[in-house]
Amino acid sequence: MARRASKELRPRQKAMLEFIRKFIDENDYPPTIREIGAAVGISSTSVVNYNLDQLERKGFIIRNREVSRGLRLADTQFGRRVRTVPFYGEIAAGEPLPVPDDPQLVDEAVAVPADMLPSTGDFFALKVKGQSMIDALVDDGDVILVRSQPQVETKEMAVVEIIDESNESGATLKYFYNLGDKVELRPANPDPAYQPIIVPAEKVRVRGKVIGVIRRYQ
Amino acid sequence: MARRASKELRPRQKAMLEFIRKFIDENDYPPTIREIGAAVGISSTSVVNYNLDQLERKGFIIRNREVSRGLRLADTQFGRRVRTVPFYGEIAAGEPLPVPDDPQLVDEAVAVPADMLPSTGDFFALKVKGQSMIDALVDDGDVILVRSQPQVETKEMAVVEIIDESNESGATLKYFYNLGDKVELRPANPDPAYQPIIVPAEKVRVRGKVIGVIRRYQ
DNA sequence: CTTGACAACGAACATTCGTTTGAGTATACT
DNA sequence: AGTATACTCAAACGAATGTTCGTTGTCAAG
């Protein structure tokens, strides 16, 4: 008998899957049997139908039969899932800058690959201004993903709020060092223009820990 | 005349939009005209069609006419927009390493925020191995987004294939410098262990230009 | 009152699209 | 050889689905 490993895909099936994914990506709805056939060079609809069955049997897609375009990707394989996190705006890594203290009413959001986020927790995104963290491979213009948490470990990169004398508070992006009753907020830039800040522990409020970076060129 | 503010929705249109959103959420494909009609209590398909036109004119949906279920939400609000790019595996920034030369048959893919990609072009993703580009703020383990293109400008970060003497080819991530009949592939790491490679222009094949970086901590 | 834009209806129509059928080829196993 | 499995093809059928058209009703402006 011509047995085949149950989860392996024939080149044709692979091409079909690739096309389906691309098609949905572009159109937001799945292709028809004939569209798939035309794309991968299959003249007979029954052949497409046959291979679609194979793809379903092997767990790559889920079919909704007798319905046009009744077909979806079985997202177990590929983390196609995306989550949106609220975008709070810019954070000046060099100089403190206010961050919206508001709870949830943020209208901007960025989509991030779901596998960039732990399954639990609250997250937000900020665009980095300045180059104080350049040695940490975080550049001006980068978008950082932050997990909301009230404290972080020493050496972790964190978004912290500094309670200013004048009651104003600003947020900054730094390496966090616990010095007991004080904390040191250390930039990652050899330029002497960037100096560590040491402040009493009660004067800082940790907003979260940086868990990811997204950068676009140009 | 019974003029109506152009962006306002009739109750019926609101119901339709609501249903469409819910339907897509549950099925991953859009409803048909008749399904919409049944859901909101419209007996005539032409009425659904008419209101669908209205919804499109008001900018809530985008129709792809003459195609079954050819309908998508124009959701500017929820940036559900994500695109998937094929994941080719790892690229050793330090040492050359083969990259799948195959055209399209890749089964792994990563989801990226749509706004990280230009609207046109072919893209792929690689995971960076090694630290040869550390000064370019690209670390070991980072995922780079690459736009497929046959040539790049000098100083751009590129994925290039080097045709080895022994007919083997490998891919590497470097800064690209055009020297006329030769090209220089320069790492971004001060460590003398990382040295520029200068090879005849005909020995290299540019695969694409790095357009983005995604990094996860921990 | 008449007119014209807006909204809705139902029926007929034309495609699109999934399904079924019957057949053909290749390979492996007995 | 004979048979079973996997894969492919072309053609035709019928259901699903978008489109068109003639008609009706409402409402506000002229």
Side-chain angles (χ1 to χ4, degrees):
Chain A
M1 292 183 221
R3 279 249 153 270
R4 197 176 306 279
S6 78
K7 289 289 179 168
E8 266 178 42
L9 290 186
R10 311 296 312 285
R12 194 169 246 189
Q13 289 161 9
K14 236 172 178 176
M16 284 172 57
L17 199 55
E18 188 67 27
F19 170 73
I20 293 170
R21 184 168 288 124
K22 193 170 161 192
F23 189 98
I24 293 179
D25 237 38
E26 287 171 1
N27 298 285
D28 280 359
Y29 51 77
T32 65
I33 284 185
R34 282 176 178 81
E35 283 166 341
I36 297 172
V40 300
I42 298 178
S43 61
S44 175
T45 56
S46 63
V47 177
V48 179
N49 187 57
Y50 169 82
N51 285 289
L52 242 25
D53 280 344
Q54 297 300 305
L55 284 174
E56 184 176 34
R57 197 174 57 76
K58 294 174 185 175
F60 288 88
I61 64 172
I62 297 170
R63 296 192 71 182
N64 202 336
R65 290 163 164 297
E66 318 202 358
V67 165
S68 69
R69 305 177 190 275
L71 155 63
R72 74 175 77 178
L73 294 171
D75 280 334
T76 52
Q77 308 275 348
F78 316 90
R80 221 183 100 68
R81 295 234 153 268
V82 180
R83 292 166 62 185
T84 59
V85 302
F87 180 70
Y88 282 5
E90 297 184 340
I91 181 171
E95 290 296 314
L97 166 140
V99 145
D101 201 49
D102 329 286
Q104 299 295 27
L105 309 178
V106 188
D107 36 47
E108 268 191 288
V110 298
V112 303
D115 57 4
M116 278 190 81
L117 303 177
S119 50
T120 62
D122 279 333
F123 308 93
F124 58 93
L126 294 168
K127 175 170 273 194
V128 175
K129 277 293 150 196
Q131 301 195 310
S132 79
M133 297 306 281
I134 194 82
D135 268 14
L137 309 180
V138 176
D139 202 358
D140 180 274
D142 287 2
V143 171
I144 56 172
L145 245 51
V146 187
R147 178 198 178 115
S148 289
Q149 52 187 64
Q151 48 191 24
V152 296
E153 306 286 314
T154 283
K155 283 192 188 173
E156 286 184 336
M157 201 191 311
V159 173
V160 302
E161 241 176 340
I162 303 174
I163 316 298
D164 199 79
E165 298 80 55
S166 54
N167 272 343
E168 292 175 12
S169 63
T172 185
L173 174 67
K174 295 283 192 302
Y175 278 128
F176 181 92
Y177 286 82
N178 186 348
L179 304 181
D181 57 341
K182 292 182 189 295
V183 300
E184 178 179 353
L185 303 176
R186 191 182 298 177
N189 191 320
D191 189 320
Y194 296 91
Q195 289 297 324
I197 307 175
I198 298 182
V199 284
E202 70 272 17
K203 287 284 191 183
V204 308
R205 178 172 162 219
V206 173
R207 299 301 294 260
K209 163 184 163 188
V210 177
I211 59 167
V213 178
I214 294 176
R215 175 156 64 235
R216 284 193 290 184
Y217 289 110
Q218 198 176 15
Chain B
M1 291 183 218
R3 280 255 151 265
R4 196 178 307 279
S6 78
K7 290 288 180 170
E8 267 177 42
L9 289 186
R10 315 294 311 285
R12 194 170 249 188
Q13 289 161 9
K14 229 170 184 172
M16 284 172 57
L17 199 55
E18 189 67 27
F19 169 73
I20 293 170
R21 190 166 278 130
K22 190 170 157 193
F23 189 98
I24 293 179
D25 220 45
E26 287 171 1
N27 299 285
D28 279 357
Y29 52 75
T32 64
I33 284 185
R34 283 175 178 80
E35 284 166 342
I36 297 172
V40 300
I42 298 178
S43 62
S44 173
T45 58
S46 64
V47 177
V48 179
N49 187 56
Y50 170 82
N51 285 290
L52 243 24
D53 279 344
Q54 297 301 306
L55 284 174
E56 183 176 36
R57 198 173 57 76
K58 295 175 184 174
F60 288 88
I61 64 173
I62 297 171
R63 296 193 70 182
N64 201 337
R65 293 165 161 293
E66 320 201 357
V67 164
S68 69
R69 306 177 189 273
L71 154 63
R72 75 174 75 176
L73 294 172
D75 257 342
T76 50
Q77 298 279 353
F78 279 87
R80 228 182 94 71
R81 294 232 126 270
V82 183
R83 292 169 61 187
T84 59
V85 302
F87 180 69
Y88 282 5
E90 297 184 339
I91 182 171
E95 290 295 316
L97 166 139
V99 144
D101 201 50
D102 327 289
Q104 302 293 28
L105 312 179
V106 187
D107 35 47
E108 267 191 290
V110 299
V112 304
D115 58 2
M116 277 192 81
L117 302 178
S119 51
T120 62
D122 279 332
F123 309 93
F124 58 93
L126 294 168
K127 175 170 272 193
V128 175
K129 276 294 151 195
Q131 300 195 310
S132 80
M133 296 307 281
I134 195 82
D135 269 14
L137 309 179
V138 175
D139 202 359
D140 181 275
D142 287 1
V143 171
I144 56 172
L145 247 49
V146 187
R147 179 198 178 115
S148 289
Q149 51 187 64
Q151 48 191 27
V152 295
E153 307 285 314
T154 282
K155 283 191 188 173
E156 286 185 335
M157 201 191 310
V159 173
V160 302
E161 239 175 341
I162 302 175
I163 316 297
D164 200 78
E165 298 80 55
S166 53
N167 273 342
E168 292 175 14
S169 62
T172 185
L173 175 67
K174 296 281 191 305
Y175 278 129
F176 181 93
Y177 287 82
N178 186 349
L179 304 181
D181 57 341
K182 291 181 190 296
V183 301
E184 178 179 353
L185 304 175
R186 191 182 299 177
N189 191 321
D191 188 321
Y194 295 91
Q195 289 296 324
I197 308 175
I198 297 182
V199 283
E202 69 270 19
K203 287 284 192 183
V204 308
R205 178 171 163 219
V206 173
R207 299 301 294 261
K209 163 185 162 187
V210 176
I211 59 167
V213 178
I214 294 177
R215 174 157 64 236
R216 286 194 288 185
Y217 289 109
Q218 198 174 19

